[in-house]
Amino acid sequence: MDEQLTAEPARARRPSGRDAKRASRAARAAASIPYITRSIPVFEVLGEEGLATLEHNADTILEEIGIDFRDDPEALEIWKAAGADVNGERVHFARGMCRELVQRSAPREFTQHARNPARSVRIGGKHTVFAPAYGSPFVRNLDEGRRYARIEDFRNFVKLAYMSNSLHHSGGTICEPVDLPVNKRHLDMVYSHLKYSDKAFMGSVTAPDRAADSVALANIVFGPELDDPLTGRPKTTIINLINVNSPMTYDATMLGAAKVYARANQATIITPFILAGAMSPVTVAGTVAQTLAEALAGMAFVQLVNPGAPTFGTPEPALVLYTMAALARRLGVPFRSGGSLCASKIPDAQAAFESANTLLPTCLAGVNFVLHTAGWLEGGLAMGYEKFVMDVDQAGMMHTLLAGIDLSPNGQAIDAMREVGPGKHFLGCAHTQANFENAFYRSPLADNNSYEQWEAEGSPDMTKRANALWKKMLAEYVEPPMDAGVDEALLEYIAKRKAAAPDSNV
Amino acid sequence: MDEQLTAEPARARRPSGRDAKRASRAARAAASIPYITRSIPVFEVLGEEGLATLEHNADTILEEIGIDFRDDPEALEIWKAAGADVNGERVHFARGMCRELVQRSAPREFTQHARNPARSVRIGGKHTVFAPAYGSPFVRNLDEGRRYARIEDFRNFVKLAYMSNSLHHSGGTICEPVDLPVNKRHLDMVYSHLKYSDKAFMGSVTAPDRAADSVALANIVFGPELDDPLTGRPKTTIINLINVNSPMTYDATMLGAAKVYARANQATIITPFILAGAMSPVTVAGTVAQTLAEALAGMAFVQLVNPGAPTFGTPEPALVLYTMAALARRLGVPFRSGGSLCASKIPDAQAAFESANTLLPTCLAGVNFVLHTAGWLEGGLAMGYEKFVMDVDQAGMMHTLLAGIDLSPNGQAIDAMREVGPGKHFLGCAHTQANFENAFYRSPLADNNSYEQWEAEGSPDMTKRANALWKKMLAEYVEPPMDAGVDEALLEYIAKRKAAAPDSNV
């Protein structure tokens, strides 16, 4: 029986005292937990009536307006066979058709396996997984300013993510290694994730054969135990970002990659790419309905290609985010969104305000997979070294928030108040001594010293302290162990594939 | 009949589409709305069982441990007469006694009148009021760094708050004018609020006679219409911050000021002053129970002094904040907390992360009166000019968040999607044209330009842009009109009081 289909529903119950205690202990011990399991409720902005209206509107879009599936005759055949109304490349769907396809077979939650089993992540339900930012052509640091990213930067960020306890995932195209040819750089990226980290990672989506390479490389590492005895299906070892050409259009590149991954039982995140007012109406309710319609069509397509293959949906501004998360729960699929997003070019106060105003709603909304948790600058154009460790620090705080409130007798602390009483202080009392160590999240970057001490240290701002931290981390990095035969097989596969075609930048 | 007692309960209902539309229109038109009325639900972390446990613990503290009321024999007499168990200065309360005193007569919500009636604020229920930060001895700006505050700074911040549409209140001791004697500076502060702004403000609490001066000055301005025909009571024109000497102790200064204000039907915010681990146990549940116990004793005391006088409670970190807000709703009193708090010395990324991580929970928790919305640095030691306008900008965004989602047909925007269709863009369509203007909050400080343009402008960080903004605002400031006779009367009162005693710095 499929564990993925029988997993408990995503609906949050009120956490019990025991849950809270366990979670808070985990968060504190948290040297390293593989992923977060929330102990606080989700925040919802709309009630039943509002959510039902938006679902109705998504069905109206799918039925009346339809979705284009471009330059992929096989995709149109698949839809025709499923009973959709196909006119040229435009596909119209009967009300409820996409929803039913998704709910029939898409897992509510699933495990993405990491090469270190202790670091495998659960995607969906009450779980939250933090991953680095994705897709920047530039990097920025305090020493060099902004420049094009190179494969060495890519490796650095894989190492930093590996060392960051509050990131649970290695991410995907953390930055574009523009010093390598476009048609081959995916091999070096996937290799870096597999070699320099043991956390779960994301594959290439820029062409179907690059998706196939990603699967092949992962299979070399996971080879001996490729099937998951719990699900009776191939293990899901790669998550992949499938962009919609919003509005309401899928193109052949993304459809090709989605088919490769779905057939290998690898997970697809269907990601409407929407800037409200450009790719969608300029209102929240309009944007949400369109996003849902686009994601439904993509997820339903994945289920037609391989029923049961993990797939889930996405987006961003806080009100959209709260609402989409609620709609994903109603649909019964995991939800990807948010992160530490900002438009600022540098890791200044603007970057921090904007990032916090995305990351906190991300966590309160109950997002399951948080791409772009760390490093994001300039709307995704640049990956910041200082921003990366600053964001990781914030992700650590979110662990404490999501662990909720300890209502054990020790947490209630009535005896401590009896011991101390009015007008005294709690600094030396037994309860404080016993709990102080783990009571607060300790930021490695926030300066909470006196003004005088801070001044004596040269009045550094947070960016300066972050600069010192990432350098220290890279200096202390130690590679996770990898079987020499596996490494050899990976390098051999890569060498063969690189030799098979000339370098190209398309 | 007392409007304040019959006002609708604070419990949030699911907002209807019409509410959301109205609120979102208001937020957009919001050139200037007098206060926020939320259209989104509040966020609660604990359920009934957890909240009831914490209420039970607060009663245990009040019954078994008790609260000290120091150096104020009248306060002890008041408690004795009410039936409390008074031993020396320690007062013990039967279970439920304080709660019953508060619920019997404290208003669930009330109006604080401003001298410009269009700017009067509603405190409590679904309303949120933003006020500047409070109490810093230092100011900081980019040009001068950090230095002691002067009365000129105080006036500057009153003017900036007056000009800031997203602040609804003028605040109180925005910074300490240390160039004026301690025993007289309250006169200049209250005058500045009355003269340079027409928004509601806060009085002095540092001595009972300074509280009396605050009431006298306000009465000069509100004199002709001192009674509120709606409540049959004196108008509430001043809100005042009454600190508890945590743990579990009230001192004569604060009790004296509280009595003056309560007897004049002015509002008191009972504020436990708690740093967990020092003035309370180091756990969330312990801190919450103690905070509730302290606040209950103070609010019950105010109700004994003058039943019906507005009074409400307070605190800070996100989990404490969500929980205390829920407990205040259950008790049926308004709730003060939060703001844009941070430990950072400068308005850098640390300041912004920390401020956003307090302001957003403040808004989601449903805080009614938000002191410290703007300017806070260094844990309250410094008031920042740049930080002030940065925080005001963030407060503006919160207006948009709290306005919720427009579910009108225009908000749903189905016709826009019909018009545009797959693969096209929405930039030029009629719906976007009609809605673009008001669709987003527009930050005066965030830089969303291209990298190249930002670089051409000298790569300014947010602090630099904020420096230009507050200077521009002060240059453009125009005083609100005030009757010349009233101004004369204020100055005469102040001159007489200043002549009545020698300058003193205690």
Side-chain angles (χ1 to χ4, degrees), chain A residues 22 36 52 84 111 137 151 164 181 233 250 305 315 351 398 409 441 451:
Chain A
R22 191 185 311 123
I36 297 172
T111 296
I151 188 68
S164 296
R233 303 173 65 95
Y250 283 81
V305 170
M398 295 300 122
Y441 171 76
Y451 185 83

Side-chain angles (χ1 to χ4, degrees), chain A residues 419-439:
Chain A
E419 178 189 340
V420 174
K424 311 279 173 45
H425 70 72
F426 286 76
L427 291 171
C429 82
H431 182 268
T432 301
Q433 294 295 321
N435 289 278
F436 198 81
E437 187 80 29
N438 297 317

Side-chain angles (χ1 to χ4, degrees), chain A residues 57 64 140 247 249 278 283 345 348 350 357 394 405 411-412 418 423-424 426 447 449 451 462 465, chain B residues 57 64 140 247 249 278 283 323 345 348 350 357 394 405 411-412 418 423-424 426 447 449 451 462 465:
Chain A
N57 290 351
E64 290 185 28
R140 165 176 283 277
T249 304
T283 60
K345 284 80 185 166
D348 65 346
Q350 177 182 346
N357 283 333
Q394 296 297 309
I405 297 174
Q412 293 184 49
R418 288 198 179 101
K424 311 279 173 45
F426 286 76
D447 183 297
N449 294 330
Y451 185 83
M462 190 182 235
R465 299 191 295 269
Chain B
N57 290 350
E64 291 185 26
R140 165 176 282 278
T249 304
T283 60
T323 309
K345 285 81 187 165
D348 64 346
Q350 178 182 344
N357 284 333
Q394 295 297 309
I405 298 174
Q412 292 184 49
R418 287 197 179 102
K424 311 278 172 48
F426 287 76
D447 183 296
N449 294 330
Y451 185 83
M462 189 183 236
R465 299 190 296 269

